[in-house]
Amino acid sequence: FDEPAYFVLATRGCPFVCTYCYNNYFVNTYNNGVDRPRKLRYRSVDSVLDEIKQRTQRYPFLKHVSFSDDDFFARKLPDLEYFAKRYKAEVGLTWGCSAIPASISQEKLELLIDCGMATVQIGIQSGSDRLNREIYKRFLPMRKVQEHLRILETFAIPKGVRVTADFII
């Protein structure tokens, strides 16, 4: 977006530990001997919305909110329902986020578009299952990626949501 935006972090971490990503470094560095390190940490929806409201009231020139989370769609549906209801009523600005294809569903997408989602950035990385699996340690088959991209094509693009994709070349 070319409009002034406020960037906010609602979650930290990622459900994956891909070799190219800084999350892999953090999980391996701060594991502290735990077999299953905590990969995702969520801020409460109330905390995130309070921050956004405070900043957009203080800086009324802000016209867009950008969630800097690695995968905004990773939240459970009840959390997203609560977020969508409050965001639409209390903030109302367009917003964007990043997502991993596996976490995108029609239900989440329709809910988030209705409350103002205008952009979504998708991490695909490679069209090669072998490269994703063996080199990037990203265990998400391309057929699943394609299924979720079809959901975006069907429900997001007709609503005017701008979809961008990341590839490692």
Side-chain angles (χ1 to χ4, degrees):
F1 266 80
D2 294 331
E3 302 171 318
Y6 180 69
F7 288 79
V8 63
L9 194 59
T11 62
R12 185 166 294 173
C14 177
F16 294 98
V17 231
C18 306
T19 57
Y20 56 82
C21 183
Y22 66 91
N23 283 308
N24 182 20
Y25 170 79
F26 285 130
V27 167
N28 289 324
T29 301
Y30 301 107
N31 187 359
N32 294 328
V34 177
D35 289 336
R36 299 193 65 180
R38 187 172 175 192
K39 296 179 190 174
L40 282 169
R41 291 177 291 164
Y42 298 96
R43 286 179 60 192
S44 74
V45 170
D46 294 332
S47 167
V48 172
L49 290 175
D50 287 347
E51 177 184 335
I52 293 168
K53 289 189 308 185
Q54 288 172 5
R55 297 312 183 276
T56 56
Q57 287 169 3
R58 182 171 182 167
Y59 304 106
F61 60 85
L62 295 170
K63 303 296 180 203
H64 184 78
V65 174
S66 184
F67 290 93
S68 300
D69 306 36
D70 291 308
D71 185 9
F72 190 82
F73 281 72
R75 284 187 182 261
K76 294 192 178 352
L77 187 59
D79 283 348
L80 291 176
E81 289 170 339
Y82 180 64
F83 165 82
K85 181 179 178 182
R86 286 204 49 210
Y87 187 91
K88 187 174 182 176
E90 299 173 28
V91 179
L93 297 175
T94 60
W95 59 277
C97 65
S98 295
I100 292 171
S103 63
I104 294 172
S105 70
Q106 177 183 338
E107 195 170 25
K108 288 180 179 180
L109 193 59
E110 289 176 331
L111 179 71
L112 297 176
I113 290 170
D114 182 59
C115 80
M117 186 179 76
T119 63
V120 63
Q121 181 177 349
I122 306 299
I124 297 174
Q125 312 330 337
S126 173
S128 165
D129 281 337
R130 185 195 64 77
L131 188 63
N132 279 331
R133 186 181 58 255
E134 294 175 16
I135 305 299
Y136 298 150
K137 305 299 182 208
R138 187 176 174 108
F139 303 105
L140 183 61
M142 274 313 293
R143 65 177 174 70
K144 289 301 250 179
V145 170
Q146 290 169 337
E147 285 175 28
H148 295 279
L149 290 176
R150 277 191 214 87
I151 293 170
L152 279 169
E153 181 181 30
T154 304
F155 298 99
I157 294 173
K159 299 277 187 177
V161 175
R162 186 174 72 186
V163 178
T164 58
D166 292 336
F167 292 91
I168 298 173
I169 298 176

